[in-house]
Amino acid sequence: MNGDSNNSGSTEAVLKVNIDGQNRRFVLIADELVTIGRASSCGIHLQDKSVSREHCVAMFTNGKIVINDLRSTHGVTHNGEKVGHCELRPGDTCQLGSALATFEPSGTQLQAKIVKAPAEPPAVPVAPSPTPAATAINITPTAEVTNAASSDSTNPIRNIAGYRILETIGQGGYGTVYRAEQIRLHREVALKVLKQGDDSRDHKAQIEAFLREARLAAGLHDPRLVQIYDVGESDGEHFLSMELIEGGSLARKIRRDGPIPWQDVIRLVRDIALALKVAHAAQLVHRDVKPGNILLAANGQAKLTDLGLAASGEHAGTIAFMSPEQLRRETIDGRADIYALGCTAYAALTGNPPFAGDRQEMARGHLKQKPTPLLDCDMQVPYHLSQLIVESMMAKDANDRPQSATAVVERLDRMILPSNIEPAGLDEEDYPSVAPTRLGRPIRRDGSSKSQKALMARICADAIIFGIVGGTVIALLLGLKAIWDIDIYRMIGR
């Protein structure tokens, strides 16, 4: 442990991972969260069957590497025991499945090939040491650098058809998203560049789907949809530029802060349902509604992104949020998006998707199992909200779900609005402030219960008046008896 003092002030640490006798080294940047797993979207991408798609998250902070398990199948083993959380100091090791991870002391990796494992862009400060059960959701981008001394600031600046690329902010199976400057307008945008396919026929089909869906999405205008600015091609690279949202994704917020209060989830679900209403009206099914595709603006509004771009085929999607009919490869409609939005709301409330495990286990859950009821998850959630999410939106049969995004909005409005206000008259700024009651029904904090208070005050006043009158009559009768010796009992009897 002698290297601890040498690393406590470092801005980088090297994590060496040994799989089947082969070593790979990854640079961790101080206080940046990186996801480790088998999925291509992970910051540290490990090709080993014992490693789950999103196995764990790691962060280098205060001279040590902190690792938190994400409920992986084969877990994290430290000092011979399965743990949910462990801290590695220079020279310490742990196992991720059967892969051996080592915090390599400084000075030992100079001749080794190192891959930089970036975290998500620091639009919002990342809190250190997240809890092990925070979430199994990840959209951490991936980028590789072959020189240990390289950094994003020293990489040559690339230009794409009037855009200057500033940094990589996301990467997935379909394309890479960059923060870029639109040179002529002097504004920053999110620039998505389609990946080059290995098969020319497949890549041609991807290009056609990319352009078709991008143009359709660009024709949709709603403040809850991430706006598309431009779509084009430059030197064989197909791209689109879109609105840059600084607040980061819902997935990142869940991973950083854990479960979200139900009051905020109501607004989030309402925002995305309204975005889906616009998309569905244009006959466009999103097919990949999930926390990673929901961005949070600075004013708290939720925005839906990757509309029609997250999948090149009708049945593609993210299995943790995929409807049963998508898994069965049946024809899907907007009700599949409603199911995925229900799963997303469940993940926001609990910190985890409704079904855990590997792909087969998650698929089996969507097809045959019921998720743990929200009211059994040790949280305060209104009963009617729990019913809407678990029993209605996540119903296995599409016919048992709300049949449109509008129906979801109407049910949410009935929960949060008093009966004398019409939901259709609400604008964004008119969202009521809601609070739980003993019966699990929300009431407005701004005084919608004033009528009940007035009624109680009137009853109390009437009781006081009745008591005063009654007491006066009794006192008068007793006085008559004492002065004139009148038999008041005989008077009452008459």
Side-chain angles (χ1 to χ4, degrees), residues 403-463:
Q403 296 300 289
S404 67
T406 302
V408 174
V409 174
E410 289 175 349
R411 287 188 60 174
L412 288 170
D413 286 345
R414 287 199 295 271
M415 289 182 203
I416 62 179
L417 296 175
S419 60
N420 63 336
I421 293 183
E422 291 294 331
L426 262 189
D427 293 322
E428 270 185 73
E429 60 270 20
D430 294 323
Y431 282 107
S433 181
V434 293
T437 68
R438 184 175 299 178
L439 297 178
R441 294 192 295 266
I443 61 173
R444 286 168 61 105
R445 284 185 183 148
D446 59 359
S448 66
S449 60
K450 286 182 179 178
S451 59
Q452 294 182 358
K453 293 180 179 179
L455 177 61
M456 291 300 297
R458 192 190 316 169
I459 292 173
C460 291
D462 290 344

Side-chain angles (χ1 to χ4, degrees), residues 181-200:
E181 179 190 3
Q182 191 171 4
I183 298 173
R184 283 191 176 183
L185 297 181
H186 301 288
R187 69 175 175 185
E188 289 194 357
V189 300
L191 191 71
K192 184 166 189 174
V193 180
L194 181 67
K195 281 188 175 180
Q196 296 283 347
D198 296 330
D199 186 291
S200 59

Side-chain angles (χ1 to χ4, degrees), residues 174-221:
Y174 201 77
T176 303
V177 181
Y178 302 96
R179 178 191 294 268
E181 179 190 3
Q182 191 171 4
I183 298 173
R184 283 191 176 183
L185 297 181
H186 301 288
R187 69 175 175 185
E188 289 194 357
V189 300
L191 191 71
K192 184 166 189 174
V193 180
L194 181 67
K195 281 188 175 180
Q196 296 283 347
D198 296 330
D199 186 291
S200 59
R201 289 173 300 179
D202 289 345
H203 186 56
K204 184 177 180 180
Q206 284 183 338
I207 293 172
E208 292 175 355
F210 184 85
L211 296 177
R212 182 177 63 252
E213 301 283 13
R215 287 169 182 144
L216 182 55
L220 302 179
H221 300 286

Side-chain angles (χ1 to χ4, degrees), residues 344-480:
T344 298
Y346 188 100
L349 287 165
T350 65
N352 292 284
F355 304 106
D358 56 26
R359 292 178 62 84
Q360 289 77 16
E361 290 170 331
M362 285 190 287
R364 192 180 308 117
H366 288 300
L367 291 170
K368 298 181 179 180
Q369 300 171 5
K370 279 193 172 184
T372 302
L374 289 171
L375 298 178
D376 293 346
C377 294
D378 192 27
M379 65 178 65
Q380 295 293 327
V381 179
Y383 172 76
H384 294 305
L385 179 61
S386 175
Q387 286 291 101
L388 171 62
I389 293 172
V390 178
E391 301 297 334
S392 296
M393 296 177 70
M394 293 176 61
K396 306 298 184 188
D397 188 338
N399 292 321
D400 294 333
R401 298 174 205 149
Q403 296 300 289
S404 67
T406 302
V408 174
V409 174
E410 289 175 349
R411 287 188 60 174
L412 288 170
D413 286 345
R414 287 199 295 271
M415 289 182 203
I416 62 179
L417 296 175
S419 60
N420 63 336
I421 293 183
E422 291 294 331
L426 262 189
D427 293 322
E428 270 185 73
E429 60 270 20
D430 294 323
Y431 282 107
S433 181
V434 293
T437 68
R438 184 175 299 178
L439 297 178
R441 294 192 295 266
I443 61 173
R444 286 168 61 105
R445 284 185 183 148
D446 59 359
S448 66
S449 60
K450 286 182 179 178
S451 59
Q452 294 182 358
K453 293 180 179 179
L455 177 61
M456 291 300 297
R458 192 190 316 169
I459 292 173
C460 291
D462 290 344
I464 293 171
I465 293 172
F466 180 80
I468 294 173
V469 172
T472 302
V473 172
I474 292 173
L476 180 60
L477 291 175
L478 292 174
L480 291 174

Side-chain angles (χ1 to χ4, degrees), residues 142-188:
T142 304
E144 294 194 357
V145 180
T146 56
N147 188 338
S150 297
S151 67
D152 290 340
S153 60
T154 59
N155 286 337
I157 295 176
R158 296 175 55 204
N159 289 336
I160 295 183
Y163 296 91
R164 180 181 293 110
I165 291 179
L166 304 176
E167 63 175 330
T168 302
I169 59 176
Q171 186 171 358
Y174 201 77
T176 303
V177 181
Y178 302 96
R179 178 191 294 268
E181 179 190 3
Q182 191 171 4
I183 298 173
R184 283 191 176 183
L185 297 181
H186 301 288
R187 69 175 175 185
E188 289 194 357

Side-chain angles (χ1 to χ4, degrees), residues 272-283:
I272 301 305
L274 287 168
L276 289 174
K277 176 183 175 181
V278 174
H280 295 168
Q283 305 300 312

